[in-house]
Amino acid sequence: MLTIADRLDKIPFILADSKFQSKEGLGNELNFHVFDYNPDEELLVQDFILELPERMLRVNTMKQIQIFNLYQIVIHFFERKKYIEKNFLMEERDGSEQLFNRMRSALKVATAQDEIVKYITENIEEDTIVIITGVGAVFSLVRSHVILNNLQTVVENRPLILFYPGVFCNGTLKLFGVFEDKHYYRAFQLVER
């Protein structure tokens, strides 16, 4: 069994491989991958992601990565709409469940106007490898399988890696190893455990 350090060390080499970048061997499937890890390894994974651009240079690839943190995207949305203070007041007045429902509604999660997907669409750069992080921080507000489904047409011609604090096995996403998400069959395991 590989340690988290061993698994993370493999990632730059995988991403630099031209076969990975061109979807070779995926049978015409999307180039979507999940890197699952134990939630208690979150800080190690976050540090690795920050170092990933430099590590990519060390393996002699010119391929750029672009990191989208779901939590930061959600915060950016509510700051831009000037909803942060209103959200605190609403929670105080109406309770957490009401706030949660209103936040999901404002983000239009799982609709054609999904604000997270819209943000990624507006900010994605050409010819990059897309990295999605922050899954655990937005848990229950945003579901991983929904984001992956909604990104299929946006990111269809490039690799996407979802860093997932939980278990991804046989198409099943299980956040924190506890909360089962719906199946997502179109992704592949990036590095076996």
Side-chain angles (χ1 to χ4, degrees):
M1 186 169 172
L2 297 175
T3 67
I4 186 65
D6 294 335
R7 293 179 68 227
L8 290 168
D9 285 343
K10 291 177 177 263
I11 293 175
F13 297 98
I14 293 169
L15 302 186
D17 189 317
S18 61
K19 290 178 183 176
F20 172 83
Q21 293 173 16
S22 67
K23 301 184 350 177
E24 191 173 312
L26 294 184
N28 233 6
E29 285 291 331
L30 290 169
N31 202 353
F32 280 22
H33 301 267
V34 175
F35 182 84
D36 61 344
Y37 55 93
N38 295 328
D40 61 354
E41 299 165 337
E42 180 69 32
L43 295 178
L44 290 169
V45 173
Q46 284 181 21
D47 288 344
F48 169 81
I49 292 168
L50 292 174
E51 297 170 2
L52 187 55
E54 184 180 316
R55 288 181 182 224
M56 294 290 289
L57 289 174
R58 281 192 239 141
V59 295
N60 297 321
T61 184
M62 299 307 294
K63 194 72 163 179
Q64 297 294 310
I65 62 167
Q66 191 171 9
I67 301 168
F68 291 99
N69 183 303
L70 299 179
Y71 176 76
Q72 291 173 353
I73 293 170
V74 168
I75 294 299
H76 172 76
F77 170 79
F78 287 111
E79 285 176 342
R80 187 172 47 85
K81 294 286 191 177
K82 300 188 182 342
Y83 286 170
I84 297 290
E85 191 60 37
K86 290 176 185 175
N87 284 351
F88 287 128
L89 294 172
M90 182 188 303
E91 183 176 31
E92 205 172 278
R93 184 185 68 233
D94 301 331
S96 298
E97 188 174 335
Q98 183 67 19
L99 171 64
F100 170 79
N101 292 333
R102 290 264 178 95
M103 288 174 69
R104 279 187 62 83
S105 178
L107 286 166
K108 300 175 186 150
V109 175
T111 71
Q113 295 84 31
D114 187 313
E115 292 291 338
I116 295 170
V117 174
K118 182 178 170 185
Y119 177 90
I120 293 171
T121 302
E122 291 171 353
N123 291 282
I124 199 166
E125 297 171 6
E126 285 297 317
D127 200 34
T128 58
I129 297 172
V130 175
I131 307 286
I132 304 289
T133 67
V135 170
V138 295
F139 163 65
S140 75
L141 189 61
V142 178
R143 296 286 195 197
S144 301
H145 77 280
V146 171
I147 290 293
L148 292 174
N149 279 331
N150 290 346
L151 286 175
Q152 288 177 170
T153 57
V154 176
V155 188
E156 65 184 343
N157 294 321
R158 68 190 90 204
L160 177 143
I161 295 96
L162 176 75
F163 280 83
Y164 190 76
V167 177
F168 178 63
C169 184
N170 298 324
T172 299
L173 294 160
K174 198 168 190 179
L175 191 65
F176 309 129
V178 177
F179 302 104
E180 194 164 318
D181 213 334
K182 292 199 176 172
H183 293 287
Y184 188 78
Y185 296 107
R186 298 197 72 188
F188 300 92
Q189 185 96 28
L190 185 66
V191 179
E192 295 295 325
R193 283 186 169 221

